[in-house]
């Protein structure tokens, strides 16, 4: 692979409709931001331009680190992706496992209406993908070794659409495995039950529901444009303002709004926080916990934090083992 091919591959997400930062989605997010500020917030055209293209955001030290992390992580992905288990491997294993059971036969619902099957498959795949994102995201906040990795994302002091790529490579691996599991679980179950009627409603090769999520401003979740929804809708869908609260340094916002697209998981599991009328939020983490711009710290500190956690746990276990057990009569 020559230099030109490598460059094209690293930046291919901008040309891929399956990726959030596809240029078409970015352009629509810009349009939504302009319309929101002009017609909802009643800003002047000059104020709107200044707000949307705020140099303090896009050229902050944190944002510049985001751009570098994007390139490094994309290059890392080129090497690690072939080594990861794929949804095909998981789907194949589950498909053959289903054939070994005798409770229900293959193709039992193959006569079902095709349009209904395709709609059900599209919705199920979207919901399963979103639920597994919520569960992994919440776990990464709750278990210290995973938090040491995930806090790389939360170390951003300004939010731009590229901040979605501000993750430690290990987090990228975990989310890749999560995606393989979610798709690898749904696909064989549907094929086993419905046979050849299984298909996916797509737009430009993307699940129609994912497409709707992206064209309605998914990139604004990592931005400085705090678009909120009606309260009833924010119990179903995560608004950009809600995800920005998730990044907030205010204690009342800690461990809230883990959802990616759907807010129903936060609503069901008690982590929902509706958006507020607060214009400015502070993002990032204390310097002693994570750096916003030092790349060596961003990539290496998770290892030292995890090692300290293991040492602390090992000492506690050793202390428990040394403590004499009281005899029972």
């Amino acid at each position: 692979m020559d230099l030109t091919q490598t460059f094209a591959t690293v930046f291919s997400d901008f040309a891929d409709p399956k990726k959030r930062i596809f240029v078409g989605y970015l352009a629509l997010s810009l349009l939504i931001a302009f319309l929101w500020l002009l017609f909802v917030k009643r800003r002047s055209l000059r104020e709107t331009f200044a707000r949307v293209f705020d140099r303090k955001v896009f050229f902050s030290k944190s944002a510049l680190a985001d751009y570098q992390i994007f390139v490094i992580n994309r290059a890392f992905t080129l090497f690690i992706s072939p080594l990861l288990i794929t949804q095909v491997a998981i789907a194949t294993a589950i498909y053959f496992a289903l054939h070994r059971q005798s409770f229900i036969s293959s193709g039992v619902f193959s006569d079902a209406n095709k349009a209904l099957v395709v709609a059900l498959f599209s919705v199920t795949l979207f919901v399963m993908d979103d639920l597994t994102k919520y569960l992994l995201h919440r776990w990464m906040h709750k278990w210290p070794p995973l938090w040491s990795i995930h806090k790389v994302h939360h170390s951003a002091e300004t939010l731009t659409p590229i901040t979605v790529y501000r993750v430690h490579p290990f987090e990228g691996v975990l989310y890749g495995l999560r995606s393989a599991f979610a798709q690898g679980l749904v696909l064989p179950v549907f094929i086993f039950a419905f046979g050849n009627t299984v298909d996916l409603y797509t737009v430009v090769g993307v699940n129609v529901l994912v497409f709707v999520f992206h064209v309605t401003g998914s990139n604004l979740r990592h931005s400085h444009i705090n678009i909120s929804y009606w309260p009833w809708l924010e119990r179903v869908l995560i608004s950009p303002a809600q995800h920005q609260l998730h990044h907030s340094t205010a204690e009342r916002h800690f461990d809230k709004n883990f959802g990616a697209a759907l807010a129903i998981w936060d609503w069901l599991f008690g982590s929902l926080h509706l958006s507020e009328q607060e214009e400015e939020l502070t993002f990032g983490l204390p310097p002693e916990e994570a750096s916003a711009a030092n790349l060596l710290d961003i990539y290496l500190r998770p290892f030292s934090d995890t090692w300290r956690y293991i040492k602390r746990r090992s000492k506690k276990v050793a202390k428990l083992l040394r403590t004499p057990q009281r005899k029972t009569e």
Side-chain angles (χ1 to χ4, degrees):
M1 183 180 292
D2 61 29
L3 187 60
T4 303
Q5 289 177 312
T6 302
F7 181 87
T9 303
V10 167
F11 293 95
S12 62
D13 283 7
F14 289 100
D16 186 353
K18 294 181 180 179
K19 303 299 182 180
R20 183 183 295 193
I21 61 167
F22 171 59
V23 290
Y25 303 146
L26 289 171
L28 285 169
S29 294
L30 271 177
L31 177 61
I32 293 169
F34 267 90
L35 294 175
W36 173 264
L37 292 173
L38 285 171
F39 299 108
V40 178
K41 293 297 185 179
R42 304 292 183 180
R43 301 284 182 88
S44 69
L45 187 60
R46 183 176 180 177
E47 289 174 324
T48 297
F49 266 97
R51 179 64 176 168
V52 171
F53 299 109
D54 190 341
R55 291 178 57 86
K56 292 180 180 179
V57 173
F58 290 103
F59 292 97
S60 68
K61 290 183 179 180
S62 177
L64 294 175
D66 284 353
Y67 309 148
Q68 296 173 75
I69 292 168
F70 169 83
V71 174
I72 294 169
N73 285 357
R74 289 291 294 135
F76 176 81
T77 302
L78 296 179
F79 295 101
I80 197 66
S81 290
L83 304 178
L84 300 179
I85 188 170
T86 65
Q87 62 263 36
V88 175
I90 297 173
T92 301
I94 294 175
Y95 185 71
F96 283 112
L98 289 171
H99 275 82
R100 288 195 294 270
Q101 57 81 40
S102 56
F103 178 72
I104 190 171
S105 58
S106 176
V108 64
F109 302 116
S110 58
D111 294 332
N113 180 272
K114 182 174 177 62
L116 181 62
V117 174
V118 175
L120 183 61
F121 178 63
S122 302
V123 171
T124 302
L125 195 60
F126 178 79
V127 170
M128 178 59 72
D129 188 68
D130 201 75
L131 173 60
T132 54
K133 284 179 180 177
Y134 171 86
L135 293 174
L136 178 56
H137 190 185
R138 182 165 184 150
W139 190 25
M140 296 192 87
H141 277 256
K142 299 299 183 181
W143 192 40
L146 289 184
W147 170 245
S148 69
I149 297 170
H150 182 58
K151 69 181 180 180
V152 167
H153 184 62
H154 281 267
S155 64
E157 294 178 344
T158 53
L159 303 181
T160 76
I162 304 302
T163 306
V164 73
Y165 288 85
R166 185 192 184 94
V167 295
H168 195 275
F170 278 10
E171 179 170 343
V173 169
L174 288 174
Y175 269 92
L177 294 174
R178 175 215 58 80
S179 178
F181 169 78
Q183 297 178 37
L185 176 62
V186 174
L187 183 60
V189 171
F190 268 79
I191 292 178
F192 179 82
F194 298 101
N196 293 330
T197 58
V198 177
D199 202 351
L200 188 69
Y201 281 127
T202 62
V203 179
V204 294
V206 183
N207 184 332
V208 63
L209 296 175
V210 175
F211 177 78
V212 170
F213 172 62
H214 289 322
V215 299
T216 53
S218 63
N219 284 295
L220 294 171
R221 281 157 174 74
H222 291 106
S223 79
H224 53 295
I225 312 299
N226 59 332
I227 295 178
S228 57
Y229 300 155
W230 297 284
W232 66 266
L233 187 55
E234 288 192 340
R235 289 180 169 84
V236 181
L237 302 174
I238 292 286
S239 70
Q242 281 177 287
H243 188 74
Q244 290 157 18
L245 289 182
H246 176 74
H247 279 266
S248 168
T249 59
E251 191 171 346
R252 68 182 184 280
H253 300 148
F254 288 177
D255 293 339
K256 301 295 183 182
N257 300 341
F258 296 109
L262 300 175
I264 54 175
W265 316 122
D266 288 295
W267 192 13
L268 288 172
F269 299 117
S271 53
L272 182 69
H273 195 300
L274 301 182
S275 61
E276 300 172 350
Q277 294 303 313
E278 194 171 342
E279 284 294 326
E280 297 295 337
L281 294 171
T282 303
F283 305 123
L285 294 171
E288 63 273 13
E289 187 170 1
S291 172
N294 185 311
L295 292 181
L296 279 177
D297 186 88
I298 286 169
Y299 281 100
L300 298 181
R301 189 184 295 209
F303 297 109
S304 60
D305 286 350
T306 301
W307 175 243
R308 282 195 294 269
Y309 172 80
I310 292 172
K311 286 174 64 177
R312 288 196 304 269
R313 298 299 295 179
S314 298
K315 288 179 180 178
K316 288 183 179 180
V317 171
K319 185 177 181 180
L320 286 173
L321 292 176
R322 289 196 302 268
T323 302
Q325 299 295 313
R326 185 177 297 176
K327 294 183 178 180
T328 56
E329 296 296 335

